[in-house]
């Protein structure tokens, strides 16, 4: 590969394809954007697989077009030549006195090697990149990490290694637990990662060379100068979807790709998306609660997964955080409340600050499932009852009475169900929903899907074992370390985690809990698609659970029965938030 090139353009000193040698001798490639004036600057670094030379507009055209059309501040103030998927725009950071470093991860873009996502090898590479950046002549020695999704997820992991030059992290919609947040929701395999691998990684693997795209800035080949055969490309990457499928329990494979919370001590800002069900919000909330860091902040917002990272709102939040943590500026961040929420209303978001998560004044409220009229009621039924549903069908919905007054529900939810099945196992899909007075469902523009419900939770009945050391009533924590088959017809207790959400329910509206044996669907057909996903967006985005190898119909296609009444009180637990006094 040609030696790195350096040039001044658009007010920046840009060093292209700078080599970083790893501890095993492999050389990764990065681009460095820094001020023209010589000096030592704090570093904003990202490490990931999406190819540093691939412009956002070229790799993700539908997402880019929708974002800049609806939020023109994203594109304002920049030539947008250096916009990349899910990382900072250097034209908005370098003038503020930062050096921005983008590293192509092992086996991707212009970095050779074997692709094995989130593996200990990748995490070690990330650590070494941080340490490299911390000692460069243009570096102040303080390295901050920033980025969305992949570029947030691996921040949790590398922080567990405690690289000495790591000074701060902004984890923007970054999941954490490889098993619970990402690959197995409640023990049920998510097919997202296998499809993501096909659509977003194989398309920019190192070695595509002449068969891959070119940078719109440098005209260099985005995926390396070497052009490999399909056979050689396959040899240089793991069988990602099959690797995940081969590990149905939370074993060493998953633990090696998850944070060690007591070792995450660096200051961080964790930002979640209420509508990111299926991937991102859980890790942001869990990280804020469980990480050992003394200086940590949480923010939660709505709209699309990528948008607020680039809007004036998101960029200003990031810059305040990093100016305080990397530059030592006395900008008031030390007085920033630990929790900043964009509380979701049916027509807008309203910003509010809190001191903790979950919110201390929460009124944990139980709504009981009553088979009579399929209702959610404030009191448990006094008579035993049951109601059944076919797992492949639309399931059952339990609906509350109209709310007498406006009610805010913000925080984690949970449900306790007593369930039996005609087979040896059952997958439970829970959907927390809101309906208007005339029973039209209220959905939102989620992180990916334009018709996302309020909240979701999942549990495989044979994975019902909980860890009492970590569990709370509002967030049951499942061990996922053994399979406990059902005895057909015999009820078992299921405590189901429902991921955190926020919604102010207007007076006259109703809430509902749907209990299903398959993924939620807003409609059978919507026509909604994005260029980087295979499936039509029908309510769950790309976060589906439809691999027949994980869910054979003979086991998961049976008849399920919910049981209620004395000794089997089935309920939904919701976090009702009273107004601040």
């Amino acid at each position: 590969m040609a030696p790195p090139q350096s040039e001044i353009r658009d007010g920046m000193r840009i060093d292209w394809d700078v080599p970083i040698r790893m501890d095993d001798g492999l050389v990764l490639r990065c681009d460095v954007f820094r001020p023209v004036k010589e000096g030592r600057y704090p570093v904003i670094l990202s490490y990931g697989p999406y190819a540093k030379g691939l412009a956002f507009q070229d790799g993700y055209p539908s997402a880019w077009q929708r974002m800049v059309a609806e939020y023109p501040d994203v594109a304002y103030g920049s030539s947008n030549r250096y916009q990349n998927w899910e990382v900072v725009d250097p034209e908005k950071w370098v003038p503020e006195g930062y050096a921005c470093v983008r590293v192509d991860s092992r086996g991707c873009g212009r970095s050779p090697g074997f692709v094995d996502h989130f593996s200990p090898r990748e995490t070690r590479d990330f650590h070494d990149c941080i340490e490299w950046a911390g000692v460069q002549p243009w570096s102040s020695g303080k390295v901050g990490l920033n980025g969305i999704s992949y570029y947030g997820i691996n921040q949790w992991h590398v922080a567990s290694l405690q690289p000495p030059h790591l000074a701060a992290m902004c984890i923007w919609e970054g999941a954490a637990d490889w098993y619970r947040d990402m690959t197995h929701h409640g023990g049920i395999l998510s097919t997202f990662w296998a499809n993501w691998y096909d659509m977003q990684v194989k398309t920019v693997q190192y070695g595509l060379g002449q068969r891959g795209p070119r940078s719109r800035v440098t005209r260099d080949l985005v995926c390396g100068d070497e052009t490999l055969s399909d056979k050689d490309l396959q040899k240089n990457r793991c069988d990602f979807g099959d690797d995940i499928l081969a590990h149905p329990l939370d074993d060493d494979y998953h633990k090696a790709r998850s944070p060690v919370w007591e070792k995450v001590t660096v200051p961080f800002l964790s930002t979640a998306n209420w509508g990111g069900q299926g991937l991102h919000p859980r890790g942001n909330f869990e990280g804020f609660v469980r990480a050992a860091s003394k200086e940590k902040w949480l923010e939660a917002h709505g709209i699309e997964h990528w948008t607020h990272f680039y809007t004036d709102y998101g960029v200003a939040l990031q810059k305040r955080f990093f100016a305080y943590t990397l530059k030592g500026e006395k900008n008031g961040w030390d007085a920033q409340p630990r929790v900043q929420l964009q509380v979701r209303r049916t027509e807008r978001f309203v910003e509010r600050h809190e001191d903790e998560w979950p919110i201390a004044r929460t009124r944990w409220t139980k709504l009981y499932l009553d088979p009579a009229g399929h209702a959610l009621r404030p009191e448990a039924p006094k008579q035993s009852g049951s109601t059944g549903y076919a797992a492949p069908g639309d399931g059952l919905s339990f609906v509350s009475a109209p709310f007498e007054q406006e009610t805010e529900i913000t925080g984690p939810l949970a449900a306790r169900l007593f369930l039996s099945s005609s087979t040896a196992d059952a997958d439970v899909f829970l959907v927390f929903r809101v309906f208007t007075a005339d029973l039209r469902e209220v959905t939102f523009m989620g992180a990916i899907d334009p018709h996302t419900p309020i909240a979701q939770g999942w549990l495989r009945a044979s994975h019902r074992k909980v860890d009492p050391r970590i569990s709370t009533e509002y967030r049951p924590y499942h061990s996922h370390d053994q399979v406990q088959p059902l005895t057909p017809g015999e009820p078992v207790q299921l405590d189901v985690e429902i991921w955190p959400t926020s919604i102010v329910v207007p007076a006259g509206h109703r809430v509902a809990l749907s209990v299903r044996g398959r993924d939620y669907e807003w409609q059978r057909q919507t026509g909604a698609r994005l260029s980087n996903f295979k499936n039509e967006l029908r309510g769950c985005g790309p976060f589906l659970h439809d691999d027949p190898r994980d869910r054979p119909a003979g086991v998961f296609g049976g008849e399920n029965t919910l049981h209620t009444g004395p000794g089997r009180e089935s309920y939904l637990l919701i976090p009702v938030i009273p107004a601040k006094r």
Side-chain angles (χ1 to χ4, degrees):
M1 191 172 287
Q5 301 294 316
S6 183
E7 62 176 323
I8 295 175
R9 59 189 299 169
D10 294 312
M12 301 180 289
R13 166 76 66 182
I14 308 175
D15 304 313
W16 304 107
D17 258 2
V18 180
I20 310 177
R21 186 172 295 276
M22 299 295 99
D23 62 356
D24 64 352
L26 186 82
V27 174
L28 304 182
R29 295 283 172 168
C30 74
D31 294 336
V32 180
F33 305 82
R34 54 194 172 96
V36 174
K37 183 180 178 181
E38 293 297 325
R40 293 182 176 273
Y41 301 98
V43 178
I44 302 294
L45 186 143
S46 56
Y47 170 102
Y50 298 136
K52 61 185 177 60
L54 183 64
F56 195 136
Q57 302 93 314
D58 297 334
Y60 301 85
S62 57
W64 174 260
Q65 290 159 12
R66 187 165 77 185
M67 180 169 63
V68 298
E70 296 184 12
Y71 300 91
D73 54 317
V74 168
Y76 183 75
S78 172
S79 73
N80 298 301
R81 293 187 185 95
Y82 311 97
Q83 289 278 13
N84 275 53
W85 178 246
E86 299 190 335
V87 295
V88 301
D89 178 1
E91 287 189 272
K92 293 188 177 182
W93 286 82
V94 171
E96 302 278 344
Y98 294 94
C100 297
V101 178
R102 293 175 174 169
V103 186
D104 275 342
S105 60
R106 183 176 291 241
C108 297
R110 292 181 65 82
S111 292
F114 186 82
V115 181
D116 188 7
H117 296 295
F118 305 114
S119 65
R121 175 67 264 176
E122 267 207 354
T123 303
R124 189 71 219 178
D125 288 350
F126 197 3
H127 170 282
D128 291 352
C129 291
I130 293 167
E131 292 307 291
W132 173 88
V135 298
Q136 295 308 298
W138 38 260
S139 170
S140 71
K142 289 193 173 185
V143 179
L145 307 179
N146 199 6
I148 313 174
S149 191
Y150 198 108
Y151 299 101
I153 295 167
N154 60 10
Q155 292 181 44
W156 296 121
H157 303 166
V158 78
S160 301
L161 299 183
Q162 299 182 338
H165 287 94
L166 177 59
M169 308 189 301
C170 177
I171 306 101
W172 201 276
E173 300 186 32
D177 187 310
W178 183 232
Y179 189 90
R180 292 162 185 81
D181 298 356
M182 294 183 263
T183 65
H184 291 77
H185 299 135
I188 309 168
L189 178 73
S190 171
T191 56
F192 167 75
W193 290 102
N195 294 329
W196 165 85
Y197 199 46
D198 289 342
M199 299 294 286
Q200 294 184 237
V201 176
K202 293 179 183 178
T203 53
V204 290
Q205 184 181 352
Y206 174 87
L208 281 173
Q210 294 285 350
R211 296 191 289 159
R214 287 187 178 271
S215 165
R216 62 166 52 192
V217 178
T218 66
R219 302 309 301 162
D220 287 336
L221 292 165
V222 165
C223 301
D225 298 331
E226 189 178 10
T227 302
L228 302 178
S229 67
D230 288 343
K231 184 177 181 180
D232 286 337
L233 288 170
Q234 186 173 2
K235 286 180 181 177
N236 287 341
R237 62 180 184 245
C238 67
D239 295 322
F240 201 49
D242 287 346
D243 287 352
I244 294 169
L245 179 69
H247 295 273
L249 296 176
D250 185 20
D251 58 14
D252 289 342
Y253 167 83
H254 294 282
K255 288 180 169 61
R257 289 160 172 80
S258 297
V260 181
W261 291 120
E262 60 268 26
K263 294 184 178 180
V264 179
T265 58
V266 64
F268 67 79
L269 169 63
S270 176
T271 76
N273 188 315
W274 302 121
Q277 302 155 29
L279 187 55
H280 287 309
R282 184 185 187 276
N284 287 107
F285 290 107
E286 196 83 355
F288 176 75
V289 172
R290 296 183 62 191
S293 302
K294 301 300 183 185
E295 292 187 286
K296 53 185 178 179
W297 291 266
L298 173 69
E299 187 270 354
H301 55 267
I303 68 175
E304 299 95 342
H305 165 51
W306 50 83
T307 301
H308 261 323
F309 182 78
Y310 297 99
T311 63
D312 288 348
Y313 166 79
V315 172
L317 190 70
Q318 297 160 46
K319 285 183 175 178
R320 284 184 57 228
F321 169 72
F322 281 119
Y324 173 74
T325 53
L326 298 185
K327 293 182 175 182
E329 290 185 7
K330 298 185 184 303
N331 60 0
W333 185 267
D334 57 330
Q336 170 79 7
R338 289 305 173 105
V339 178
Q340 178 169 309
L341 305 176
Q342 298 295 331
V343 176
R344 182 165 55 183
R345 304 182 73 91
T346 55
E347 71 284 359
R348 68 187 190 281
F349 293 89
V350 177
E351 184 171 306
R352 191 178 71 230
H353 296 99
E354 300 287 349
D355 296 320
E356 69 285 306
W357 182 267
I359 299 169
R361 66 183 184 281
T362 301
R363 294 175 182 165
W364 299 102
T365 303
K366 292 179 181 178
L367 297 175
Y368 292 89
L369 280 63
D370 188 347
H374 287 183
L376 281 179
R377 304 189 191 280
E379 295 87 23
K382 292 183 170 52
Q383 302 295 324
S384 297
S386 64
T387 183
Y389 64 96
D394 292 331
L396 303 170
S397 291
F398 298 84
V399 184
S400 75
F403 279 27
E404 294 181 359
Q405 60 187 18
E406 180 179 271
T407 303
E408 180 186 336
I409 298 170
T410 296
L413 297 83
R416 173 167 291 177
L417 306 176
F418 289 85
L419 181 137
S420 63
S421 175
S422 62
T423 68
D425 212 341
D427 284 344
V428 173
F429 296 73
L430 298 187
V431 189
F432 177 62
R433 307 164 77 177
V434 170
F435 290 89
T436 62
D438 57 354
L439 293 179
R440 289 177 291 113
E441 185 173 9
V442 177
T443 60
F444 293 89
M445 178 66 238
I448 303 295
D449 201 292
H451 299 101
T452 302
I454 307 303
Q456 297 184 75
W458 307 262
L459 183 62
R460 177 159 288 176
S462 62
H463 286 231
R464 61 190 177 274
K465 177 185 173 185
V466 296
D467 185 340
R469 300 169 304 161
I470 306 175
S471 290
T472 63
E473 185 179 27
Y474 57 77
R475 202 275 276 119
Y477 188 92
H478 297 88
S479 305
H480 299 296
D481 59 0
Q482 72 177 105
V483 175
Q484 299 177 325
L486 301 178
T487 299
E490 184 174 308
V492 295
Q493 177 179 312
L494 305 180
D495 291 298
V496 187
E497 176 184 6
I498 301 175
W499 287 13
T501 193
S502 176
I503 179 65
V504 177
V505 182
H509 282 47
R510 305 167 186 255
V511 300
L513 180 70
S514 292
V515 184
R516 301 164 59 89
R518 60 183 178 89
D519 285 308
Y520 166 86
E521 284 183 346
W522 180 70
Q523 286 185 356
R524 304 275 184 208
Q525 293 180 321
T526 65
R529 291 185 177 274
L530 285 171
S531 57
N532 51 310
F533 299 124
K534 290 182 178 180
N535 62 291
E536 187 177 15
L537 305 178
R538 297 185 293 177
C540 290
F543 308 113
L544 303 178
H545 308 79
D546 55 3
D547 191 326
R549 297 173 298 174
D550 179 67
R551 307 189 65 228
V555 177
F556 297 99
E559 294 285 327
N560 300 334
T561 302
L562 287 174
H563 302 265
T564 60
R568 290 177 178 166
E569 291 83 1
S570 294
Y571 60 80
L572 168 69
L573 182 70
I574 60 174
V576 175
I577 309 299
K580 279 187 172 182
R581 293 183 178 178

